[in-house]
Amino acid sequence: MVRNRVNGRWRWPGTEFVVDKFPDYSVLMCRPVKDSPEYIPWPHATNIVTIFAKTPETLDAVIRRDDCLDWTRPIMFLGVDTGCVHVIKKRCEELGSRDPNWKEDEYGILYLLHASHLAKSDLPEGLQFGEITENHAQQICGEWKYGTAESLPFSRYILRNRFPSSGVFTQDGRLVAYILYRFDGMMFSGFVHPDVRRLGLFQAVNYNMVEKLASSGQDVGLLTVEPFNAGSLASNAKLGAKKVDPNDYGHECYKFTPVLKF
């Protein structure tokens, strides 16, 4: 996200980066600019906060500062290192909020995709790569496992602003396989229509996407999978994606809901 912001591309509008100190920072946080009309909510939450912290202790000190976060609004802490998530959990609980969906040891597994990891897959006759546009947002949200009405503005934004994507179309223009790219550099929403599965299309769109990212300066594609998502784990193993050892890195999410006061 930082690199994309510095390079002036694929930016997340209505957000800002803050550090605990500069230049020798220990905590780097991306948070929404309060009341920004530009802010594009991430699916499933109104306020998303992503955090990098070198140690749990430095993170604890930062999130207790009055100028750090707006605790009067719901917050989804996204991509928190497994070694630091307990700090977020503790602070949320101190403020009266417990995330009922959070489970111990359920963390996102990080995979790396490089063109050298994947075998290039030719498309079957009658299928071709094409451009995914904003007009496809409704379809993608309907087919995405986590798609809801709340995710539609998000999908429209990234497609309207030409974030990297890879799509396979039939000769009559029907989008049947695709993968998209998020603000944080992650590939997501990979999908292949049931009518054209087992034809190597998932491998094809991933390879095509990784090539596009490499040409723009991001050498490795990134994606995360929940440890209970057996289908995606198997798909990534088949692709040749390199799994990062969870002991070296894993990340979790935690949702804060402010307590109403009367």
Side-chain angles (χ1 to χ4, degrees):
M1 251 187 315
V2 173
R3 180 169 57 183
N4 285 341
R5 177 68 64 89
V6 170
N7 291 337
R9 63 187 180 195
W10 310 330
R11 60 183 296 270
W12 189 1
T15 59
E16 61 186 358
F17 290 93
V18 293
V19 295
D20 57 335
K21 55 185 177 179
F22 190 80
D24 299 318
Y25 66 88
S26 297
V27 177
L28 170 64
M29 179 184 302
C30 180
R31 66 187 183 189
V33 176
K34 188 174 181 179
D35 299 324
S36 169
E38 285 190 301
Y39 183 59
I40 304 293
W42 203 293
H44 320 307
T46 54
N47 294 300
I48 294 291
V49 173
T50 59
I51 295 174
F52 165 79
K54 293 182 179 179
T55 68
E57 293 77 17
T58 53
L59 175 58
D60 185 63
V62 166
I63 64 172
R64 293 178 183 278
R65 285 168 39 173
D66 292 339
D67 62 348
C68 177
L69 294 169
D70 181 1
W71 295 101
T72 67
R73 299 185 177 189
I75 302 171
M76 175 64 84
F77 292 95
L78 185 73
V80 182
D81 186 276
T82 51
C84 291
V85 71
H86 67 279
V87 174
I88 299 296
K89 178 176 179 289
K90 179 181 177 182
R91 183 58 179 149
C92 291
E93 291 178 349
E94 288 174 352
L95 295 171
S97 176
R98 182 186 296 270
D99 185 349
N101 295 316
W102 183 84
K103 296 179 181 179
E104 192 77 39
D105 297 328
E106 277 200 4
Y107 49 82
I109 299 172
L110 180 65
Y111 284 87
L112 309 179
L113 291 109
H114 187 274
S116 63
H117 301 162
L118 312 177
K120 189 171 184 178
S121 177
D122 293 327
L123 295 180
E125 185 176 352
L127 298 175
Q128 61 215 1
F129 286 111
E131 182 182 1
I132 305 176
T133 71
E134 186 179 358
N135 293 331
H136 297 106
Q138 188 79 52
Q139 174 191 339
I140 289 170
C141 285
E143 293 171 336
W144 186 28
K145 178 181 179 181
Y146 303 107
T148 65
E150 294 175 340
S151 62
L152 187 56
F154 175 83
S155 297
R156 282 178 171 162
Y157 176 83
I158 63 175
L159 293 172
R160 182 170 64 250
N161 288 277
R162 296 180 176 274
F163 279 53
S165 64
S166 179
V168 173
F169 293 78
T170 60
Q171 288 184 331
D172 61 0
R174 185 166 63 103
L175 176 63
V176 293
Y178 51 84
I179 194 162
L180 307 181
Y181 178 89
R182 299 190 322 209
F183 302 120
D184 60 348
M186 293 285 181
M187 297 158 58
F188 83 110
S189 197
F191 180 82
V192 178
H193 194 278
D195 291 348
V196 290
R197 288 179 182 168
R198 302 187 183 278
L199 297 178
L201 300 189
F202 189 65
Q203 180 173 326
V205 293
N206 275 275
Y207 188 94
N208 182 249
M209 174 71 100
V210 169
E211 283 192 317
K212 289 181 178 181
L213 294 178
S215 67
S216 66
Q218 182 174 322
D219 295 335
V220 179
L222 308 172
L223 54 88
T224 58
V225 180
E226 299 93 340
F228 53 82
N229 191 336
S232 291
L233 293 173
S235 294
N236 284 298
K238 186 176 180 180
L239 273 177
K242 303 301 181 183
K243 178 181 176 181
V244 175
D245 188 333
N247 293 317
D248 294 331
Y249 179 78
H251 73 82
E252 302 185 50
C253 302
Y254 199 91
K255 187 171 184 178
F256 168 78
T257 303
V259 177
L260 295 177
K261 296 181 180 181
F262 298 95

